[in-house]
């Protein structure tokens, strides 16, 4: 907020043209927009007790499943891994898989982009009591709104400048009738979008799962 005030030249304590509560609201909006565009910007890894059957819903606040890592149920001491499988494969090979014998050890999970907060497991989960079937999940979560200017942002500090550009975009949009402010709003919104887009691209290139990382390291070593 202090950075935004210096750029807006509204440095009066609490604000004159843009009040603290208004800027704080835009910070909260920015966090939600960032997670909407880049779900892993607010990801959690947690153990989750499964409901009985195949259909599962993410914990409260969960937005989209990122991955299922392993079994963590009390009756599965192996902590065995869980592999993603295409639903069409299960539907073709075992059309009645939703009704097969339930187990406290999950082998596969199925994810549908059309319902990002829901996933399915195979075999069906045995959940007669809490902990019979449980999985370690990685999922995107809705960021907690900041209630006061003394609160810390919910996202990693690396997103501070992205949030600042979004706040400035909203602030200048409010006063777009003034000369130059409409263009300033556009510039900050462009910077906000570019920063997020570049971050996604960098993560894709630098990911340990990316072949591009290996090629980059190899060529570097050759030099």
């Amino acid at each position: 907020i202090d950075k935004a005030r210096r750029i807006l030249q509204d440095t009066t304590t609490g604000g004159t043209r843009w009040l603290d509560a208004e800027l704080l609201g835009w910070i909260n909006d920015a966090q939600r927009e960032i997670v909407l565009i880049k779900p892993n910007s607010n990801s959690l890894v947690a153990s989750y007790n499964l409901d009985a059957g195949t259909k599962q819903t993410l914990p409260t606040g969960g937005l989209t499943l990122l991955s299922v890592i392993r079994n963590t149920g009390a009756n599965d001491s192996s902590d065995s891994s869980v592999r993603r499988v295409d639903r069409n494969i299960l539907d073709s090979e075992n059309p009645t898989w939703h009704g097969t014998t339930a187990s406290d050890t999950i082998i596969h999970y199925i994810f549908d982009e059309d319902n990002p907060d829901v996933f399915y497991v195979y075999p069906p989960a045995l959940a007669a009591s809490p902990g019979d079937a449980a999985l370690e999940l990685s999922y995107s979560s809705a960021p907690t709104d900041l209630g006061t200017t003394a609160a810390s942002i919910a996202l990693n500090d690396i997103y501070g400048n992205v949030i600042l550009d979004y706040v400035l975009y909203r602030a200048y949009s409010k006063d777009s009738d003034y000369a130059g402010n409409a263009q300033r709003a556009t510039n900050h919104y462009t910077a906000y979008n570019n920063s997020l887009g570049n971050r996604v691209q960098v993560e894709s290139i630098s990911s340990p799962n990316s072949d591009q990382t290996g090629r980059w390291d190899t060529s570097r070593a050759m030099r």
Side-chain angles (χ1 to χ4, degrees):
I1 286 178
D2 288 341
K3 289 180 179 179
R5 290 208 175 286
R6 286 194 291 271
I7 295 171
L8 294 168
Q9 298 183 24
D10 184 8
T11 56
T12 304
T13 301
T16 300
R17 185 68 186 95
W18 297 275
L19 303 180
D20 279 352
E22 193 170 24
L23 298 181
L24 189 64
W26 291 334
I27 290 175
N28 290 330
D29 289 345
Q31 292 189 135
R32 288 191 290 270
E33 290 288 331
I34 290 170
V35 174
L36 181 66
I37 296 171
K38 193 173 175 297
N40 69 353
S41 61
N42 195 45
S43 60
L44 297 175
V45 175
S47 183
Y48 171 66
N49 293 329
L50 301 181
D51 296 324
T54 58
K55 184 179 179 181
Q56 309 296 326
T57 303
L58 290 180
T60 302
L63 299 177
T64 183
L65 180 71
L66 300 177
S67 67
V68 175
I69 302 166
R70 62 189 173 109
N71 284 277
T72 56
N75 297 327
D76 184 357
S77 59
S78 65
D79 288 344
S80 55
S81 60
V82 183
R83 294 175 62 88
R84 184 182 60 82
V85 67
D86 191 283
R87 190 181 67 190
N88 289 331
I89 294 176
L90 280 178
D91 289 346
S92 297
E93 296 186 359
N94 184 6
T96 61
W97 64 274
H98 289 280
T100 55
T101 302
S103 173
D104 53 21
T105 299
I106 305 303
I107 301 173
H108 296 298
Y109 75 96
I110 298 92
F111 176 69
D112 183 357
E113 288 84 356
D114 292 333
N115 297 285
D117 62 340
V118 172
F119 64 102
Y120 290 83
V121 297
Y122 176 82
L126 180 66
S129 62
D132 279 356
L135 296 174
E136 187 174 67
L137 308 178
S138 173
Y139 61 95
S140 174
S141 179
T144 302
D145 280 352
L146 311 184
T148 70
T149 57
S152 299
I153 60 174
L155 309 187
N156 190 290
D157 286 347
I158 197 69
Y159 294 101
N161 288 338
V162 181
I163 293 174
L164 176 61
D165 275 317
Y166 185 89
V167 170
L168 292 170
Y169 145 67
R170 294 290 295 271
Y172 284 125
S173 294
K174 175 183 174 179
D175 280 349
S176 59
D177 291 340
Y178 289 86
N181 279 2
Q183 185 58 52
R184 291 187 183 99
T186 298
N187 291 344
H188 283 292
Y189 190 68
T190 299
Y192 157 79
N193 278 319
N194 287 345
S195 293
L196 279 184
N198 289 339
R199 179 66 181 171
V200 171
Q201 186 176 27
V202 167
E203 285 183 353
S204 176
I205 294 173
S206 62
S207 169
N209 295 325
S210 173
D211 289 340
Q212 297 181 59
T213 302
R215 288 198 296 269
W216 182 83
D217 287 340
T218 301
S219 62
R220 181 176 170 184
M222 289 174 64
R223 289 198 299 269

